[in-house]
Amino acid sequence: MAPVTASPPTEPGERPLRFRWSLTVRILLLNVLALALTGGSIFYLDSFRGRLLSERQEQQQRLARTMATAFAGAPRDDWPAISAASQTQEQRRVLVFDAKGRPIFDSIDAGQEFRIVDPSREAWRRKAARAMDRTIDTIVGADDLTDFEPAQTPNAKYWSSLGLFADPASVTLFAPDRTPLVAAGAPVGTALHLITLENARDATRLVRAERSRLAEVVAMALLLSALVSLYLARTIVKPLRRLTRAAVRVHQGRGREVIVPRLEGRRDEVGLLARAVSDMTAELRARTDAIESFAADVSHELRNPLASLRSAIETFARVDAAGQAQLLDILRDDVQRLDRLIGDVAEMSRLDAQLTRTPFDQVDLGLLLEEMVRERERRGEDRNVSIAFARPYRALATVAGDPGRLARAISNLLDNAVSFSPADGCVRLGATRVDREVLVSVEDEGPGVEPGLRAAIFERFATDRPAEFGDERHSGLGLAIAKTIVERHNGRIEVSAPESGKGARFVIRLPAL
């Protein structure tokens, strides 16, 4: 298994994010969170209930004062009629106490109904509703009301302990079935005191109905959001898991057996990722094949000079002085050939990595070629072959690239042209700009390249060289190196016959600046 390669967890300047939950869970949480917050409004209906009960207490206070005034100005025989006129759908009980706290009037005794519900006799749904009320009140921290004690209703001390013998005074209590009971007190003349009770079940029904409707809406929205989230998670997570499994198998060295899904039908980011991973895997396979092929080619090319060296060494001791001198020349040539071969192999193997890391500069190819020709003439590298250079205008042939590598690619083309040129021949070198491209041309007077071989000569260790030109000075990697450098500069290299029909014409095309 290949070793694990460390990689930076984030882009430069980006803060690392840590997720402990799967993508499916996170999608569900994010989609449900907003609805859950909306559902939380169920609990805050308590504030609505509080305002409603405050209004009921004020109404009860006004009613108590109005009835006290009416009782004070009417004979006692009229009190039942006055009390009956104040009754509503929710029912109301009216009590009047004398100065000693004795009840002297009770609307129930006058035949007016006031019913307190016994919770033990209610259906389970009402019991469940009360349990939900208690739970919500606990969660929101609602004010806990005092429990009403029905048996103490005729007891003036009980109402006095609740503060209802003040003026004005009102209080809200919890009836046994946990519905609000609103009570208010007011003086009747100077010696009597009136107490009114109203069981505001309608307030409880209203709050419960609002909670029920809101809960239904939120529940349906939560269900729909969960289904949509699961669908979204499925369309994202499932293909990502397929890609992950394929990537793990490639990492385990089973790349040949793995088919990375391309998800051609998807035009979203997941589809783009799938195709990127598929292309990356194909490129990885291609590079692996290239490395294996390169290693095999290097091994093959090293055998020839090594075999020659071995043969010369084994023969050296068995020949005379003249033969030994000849063998020494052979040994020297083979060592030089190995040195050139190893140098070119090293150059070829590190080209990709170096060009990937190297920042490109603005390069004036006219100046670069001029310096190259001058340096070659100084070193005398071109035998008796002359190089005719047509220098372009300054800054006309400007590209983005690594000047050292570009010089190496063009130098390899010049070496190739010189090696195929006859004695006293001429190699024509030029650079110009055509539309959005910069063209560098190298034209020789050699035998040229057959059309069927024009692609093969750029392969590694190409050996299609006529015998009269020899191959002892060449590793077969020069054109391959030039092609790799040009392609890494987003360019291309091609070969054709010159207009004269004699020799070969190599052209490098690079994007112009």
Side-chain angles (χ1 to χ4, degrees):
M1 182 183 297
V4 176
T5 302
S7 60
T10 59
E11 295 292 332
E14 182 181 353
R15 298 183 62 183
L17 299 177
R18 295 179 174 87
F19 297 109
R20 299 183 181 275
W21 295 335
S22 69
L23 186 58
T24 301
V25 174
R26 295 204 300 273
I27 290 175
L28 278 170
L29 288 178
L30 289 175
N31 281 279
V32 170
L33 179 60
L35 288 173
L37 292 176
T38 303
S41 61
I42 294 174
F43 302 113
Y44 291 97
L45 284 173
D46 175 74
S47 61
F48 168 71
R49 182 187 64 177
R51 291 192 301 271
L52 186 62
L53 293 180
S54 296
E55 293 176 358
R56 288 298 180 87
Q57 282 188 223
E58 293 176 0
Q59 293 175 2
Q60 200 72 9
Q61 286 179 3
R62 290 194 294 270
L63 176 65
R65 286 196 295 270
T66 300
M67 293 186 65
T69 301
F71 275 32
R76 291 190 181 184
D77 292 340
D78 294 339
W79 287 6
I82 297 173
S83 174
S86 69
Q87 294 297 317
T88 64
Q89 181 180 359
E90 296 299 331
Q91 302 175 357
R92 183 175 288 109
R93 186 172 183 179
V94 180
L95 299 167
V96 179
F97 296 92
D98 63 13
K100 294 183 179 181
R102 293 174 299 190
I104 60 175
F105 176 78
D106 189 342
S107 59
I108 291 180
D109 295 338
Q112 298 168 15
E113 185 179 2
F114 182 78
R115 182 172 58 89
I116 297 295
V117 176
D118 184 358
S120 62
R121 297 181 179 181
E122 286 190 308
W124 66 270
R125 292 183 179 179
R126 295 290 180 87
K127 295 178 180 178
R130 283 196 300 275
M132 179 62 70
D133 290 342
R134 291 191 184 93
T135 301
I136 294 175
D137 289 345
T138 301
I139 293 175
V140 302
D143 295 336
D144 192 15
L145 302 179
T146 302
D147 289 334
F148 172 59
E149 300 178 19
Q152 299 294 329
T153 303
N155 189 343
K157 292 182 178 180
Y158 173 69
W159 298 113
S160 177
S161 66
L162 295 176
L164 291 185
F165 274 74
D167 184 29
S170 62
V171 67
T172 301
L173 308 172
F174 267 146
D177 64 344
R178 205 173 173 79
T179 56
L181 182 73
V182 182
V188 179
T190 57
L192 305 179
H193 201 82
L194 178 143
I195 301 291
T196 63
L197 306 176
E198 180 183 351
N199 197 349
R201 296 188 185 91
D202 61 329
T204 300
R205 287 195 297 268
L206 180 60
V207 171
R208 286 177 179 175
E210 292 298 322
R211 282 176 178 165
S212 177
R213 282 192 290 270
L214 185 58
E216 291 175 0
V217 172
V218 171
M220 291 297 295
L222 285 174
L223 177 61
L224 180 60
S225 178
L227 293 176
V228 172
S229 299
L230 290 174
Y231 170 76
L232 181 62
R234 179 180 177 85
T235 59
I236 294 176
V237 175
K238 186 175 180 179
L240 289 181
R241 286 176 177 169
R242 290 178 62 191
L243 290 175
T244 301
R245 287 194 295 268
V248 169
R249 294 186 68 191
V250 171
H251 174 70
Q252 292 173 343
R254 303 176 64 183
R256 293 283 175 200
E257 306 172 11
V258 179
I259 298 177
V260 179
R262 293 184 60 83
L263 305 180
E264 297 287 356
R266 297 190 62 154
R267 294 292 179 261
D268 57 2
E269 288 79 359
V270 175
L272 293 175
L273 174 63
R275 289 184 285 280
V277 172
S278 178
D279 293 340
M280 181 184 66
T281 304
E283 179 67 18
L284 178 62
R285 291 171 182 168
R287 294 203 175 199
T288 302
D289 292 343
I291 292 172
E292 293 175 354
S293 176
F294 185 56
D297 291 343
V298 170
S299 176
H300 174 75
E301 292 298 322
L302 287 174
R303 285 195 183 98
N304 291 333
L306 287 176
S308 178
L309 284 172
R310 185 184 300 110
S311 176
I313 292 172
E314 291 174 352
T315 308
F316 190 83
R318 298 195 297 269
V319 299
D320 55 16
Q324 289 180 351
Q326 185 178 5
L327 289 174
L328 284 175
D329 291 336
I330 294 174
L331 288 171
R332 190 178 299 108
D333 289 341
D334 287 339
V335 169
Q336 292 176 353
R337 184 179 177 185
L338 278 174
D339 181 63
R340 287 192 298 272
L341 178 61
I342 292 171
D344 286 345
V345 167
E347 176 76 8
M348 191 74 185
S349 63
R350 61 174 177 258
L351 266 179
D352 279 342
Q354 289 182 345
L355 286 174
T356 301
R357 297 191 300 265
T358 302
F360 283 0
D361 300 320
Q362 182 173 318
V363 182
D364 186 342
L365 290 180
L367 292 176
L368 181 67
L369 296 178
E370 187 176 26
E371 294 174 1
M372 287 178 55
V373 171
R374 186 183 303 116
E375 185 64 21
R376 291 177 72 92
E377 290 176 351
R378 187 184 65 81
R379 294 199 304 264
E381 294 180 348
D382 301 326
R383 301 181 294 154
N384 294 325
V385 178
S386 62
I387 297 180
F389 172 50
R391 191 193 185 289
Y393 290 109
R394 185 178 298 273
L396 176 66
T398 303
V399 299
D402 178 4
R405 294 299 179 187
L406 289 173
R408 175 62 188 273
I410 299 170
S411 179
N412 284 2
L413 293 184
L414 288 174
D415 289 340
N416 180 77
V418 169
S419 69
F420 280 101
S421 295
D424 300 325
C426 178
V427 173
R428 286 171 290 279
L429 174 64
T432 187
R433 176 169 178 161
V434 178
D435 296 330
R436 296 183 180 180
E437 288 185 326
V438 171
L439 277 59
V440 178
S441 61
V442 178
E443 187 176 326
D444 62 50
E445 297 175 345
V449 182
E450 295 293 333
L453 300 176
R454 289 175 182 173
I457 62 173
F458 292 104
E459 296 178 359
R460 295 187 298 267
F461 304 110
T463 57
D464 186 29
R465 177 178 288 270
E468 64 267 23
F469 293 99
D471 62 353
E472 69 282 353
R473 297 183 58 195
H474 304 278
S475 64
L477 290 173
L479 294 181
I481 291 174
K483 181 175 183 288
T484 300
I485 293 174
V486 171
E487 288 179 347
R488 294 301 179 267
H489 283 76
N490 299 317
R492 65 186 189 277
I493 186 171
E494 55 194 32
V495 59
S496 61
E499 294 180 0
S500 63
K502 181 181 179 181
R505 185 173 187 268
F506 289 82
V507 177
I508 294 176
R509 298 177 179 270
L510 295 170
L513 286 182

